[in-house]
Amino acid sequence: MNEHILTSKPKPLFESPQQVLRDVILLCIGSSICATATNGILIPQHFATGGITGIALILHKLSGLNVGLLYLLLNVPLFALAWMAVGRRFFFFSIVGTTTLTLALTFVNFIDFKVHDPILNALLAGLLLGGGAGLCLRTSGSQGGMDILSVMLLKRFSINIGTTILTVNVIVLLIISVYYSIEALLHTMIVVYVTSKVVNIVVTGLSQRKSVFIISSKWEEIMNEILKDIRRGVTIIKGQGGYMRSREHILYAVITFSEIGELKRIVRKHDPAAFVVISDTLEVMNYRIGNQPHW
């Protein structure tokens, strides 16, 4: 056996200069959006928030220290977890993301949204925080904080990022509820819920995969057109009908969300009476169609 087959090289820290530039730009944009929501809505409206940012805001209320500095200090222990559990590249870009968020929290504090309704403020803050955090998680890193824990749980146990963010934030809010009014906590729950949903859409919604089962007498024609036009692999599963006991050929394929319309067109063209089941997938492992995390 060749020596180079036995020796496995670690993944490079930087894929390309273009990838590094793209990640840094997205981290800066995402951090600026989150800082805008924090300084422009959360602090003026006296909302709480979960995770490390929520703890930093509590310490800010008690000590008057800069929120960005507190956020940076609280993140230090989490970076050891990022290095050990996720990898070098995620560790490095998470440091970049935390630094950009710290600077953004310090300097991006000049936007006034002039929204007076607290519920609308909560909705807007959730949209901004979820969008900003999602953009950062689309890179090779994160903003630090609970994002690191979310990525770890996603990689190890396939637990949805939004689910982790929502759960941890609710726990933190219960702990710090003594410092806020009931109204502020209820508005913050809106922020946390909207944030978790938007993060899921930005991080995984754009790369969603669908699994498809097709039962049809025209299975060969449908299969050939899927292979030719959609260019996705198809698996043939031999089955038997439960009522008529007839032999069936079941087609199984995994496609992207944007390819659903084309697949329906192909099926309707060859067999309008075909039985088709389209369902969501959590993760897909494959070099062509896979959507596993990039960290």
Side-chain angles (χ1 to χ4, degrees):
M1 185 177 292
N2 293 336
E3 184 178 352
H4 72 274
I5 297 178
L6 296 173
T7 305
S8 59
K9 294 183 179 180
K11 292 182 179 180
L13 182 59
F14 304 116
E15 292 183 0
S16 67
Q18 294 82 2
Q19 183 68 34
V20 173
L21 180 61
R22 169 191 171 275
D23 285 351
V24 171
I25 290 175
L26 284 180
L27 286 169
C28 291
I29 294 173
S31 297
S32 298
I33 294 173
C34 289
T36 299
T38 302
N39 291 328
I41 301 176
L42 297 184
I43 294 177
Q45 294 291 324
H46 303 288
F47 290 165
T49 187
I52 297 298
T53 306
I55 298 174
L57 286 174
I58 286 293
L59 295 177
H60 167 73
K61 287 173 66 73
L62 296 175
S63 65
L65 293 175
N66 181 270
V67 177
L69 177 61
L70 291 169
Y71 181 83
L72 180 62
L73 294 175
L74 290 169
N75 267 282
V76 171
L78 291 170
F79 285 113
L81 294 176
W83 176 275
M84 293 184 295
V86 184
R88 298 179 306 154
R89 185 166 58 184
F90 180 77
F91 171 81
F92 174 80
F93 280 104
S94 292
I95 290 180
V96 176
T98 303
T99 304
T100 57
L101 181 59
T102 300
L103 294 173
L105 287 169
T106 303
F107 296 107
V108 183
N109 53 11
F110 48 82
I111 297 178
D112 183 4
F113 290 99
K114 300 186 184 300
V115 178
H116 303 291
D117 187 285
I119 294 180
L120 295 180
N121 274 303
L123 290 172
L124 179 58
L127 290 172
L128 292 174
L129 289 172
L135 282 178
C136 292
L137 288 170
R138 294 287 295 181
T139 70
S140 301
S142 69
Q143 293 177 328
M146 290 300 105
D147 290 351
I148 293 176
L149 178 62
S150 300
V151 169
M152 288 171 51
L153 293 178
L154 177 63
K155 286 180 68 70
R156 294 295 180 90
F157 305 106
S158 294
I159 298 176
N160 193 281
I161 287 179
T163 301
T164 301
I165 292 174
L166 181 61
T167 303
V168 173
N169 285 346
V170 168
I171 293 173
V172 172
L173 287 177
L174 291 175
I175 294 173
I176 66 177
S177 60
V178 66
Y179 296 102
Y180 288 88
S181 66
I182 296 297
E183 290 82 0
L185 285 174
L186 291 175
H187 292 140
T188 302
M189 289 297 295
I190 298 175
V191 176
V192 168
Y193 180 78
V194 174
T195 298
S196 66
K197 295 301 179 182
V198 174
V199 165
N200 275 339
I201 292 172
V202 175
V203 175
T204 60
L206 299 177
S207 59
Q208 192 175 7
R209 301 292 187 262
K210 299 285 186 177
S211 60
V212 182
F213 287 94
I214 304 171
I215 302 176
S216 170
S217 59
K218 303 290 186 179
W219 62 271
E220 278 193 274
E221 294 89 338
I222 294 173
M223 179 189 67
N224 290 333
E225 199 155 342
I226 291 174
L227 292 171
K228 178 183 175 183
D229 292 354
I230 301 181
R231 301 182 66 83
R232 295 299 179 195
V234 180
T235 299
I236 303 172
I237 304 172
K238 293 184 178 181
Q240 185 177 23
Y243 182 70
M244 299 295 294
R245 303 294 180 180
S246 58
R247 298 288 180 180
E248 302 283 359
H249 288 82
I250 305 168
L251 302 181
Y252 175 76
V254 176
I255 62 176
T256 64
F257 182 78
S258 61
E259 293 166 346
I260 294 177
E262 179 66 12
L263 181 130
K264 290 180 178 179
R265 183 195 65 78
I266 292 172
V267 174
R268 291 194 187 101
K269 171 184 173 183
H270 294 286
D271 185 5
F275 184 79
V276 181
V277 177
I278 302 175
S279 57
D280 293 330
T281 62
L282 182 61
E283 289 184 35
V284 178
M285 296 175 60
N286 181 264
Y287 73 99
R288 290 187 65 241
I289 190 65
N291 66 339
Q292 282 197 305
H294 48 276
W295 302 289

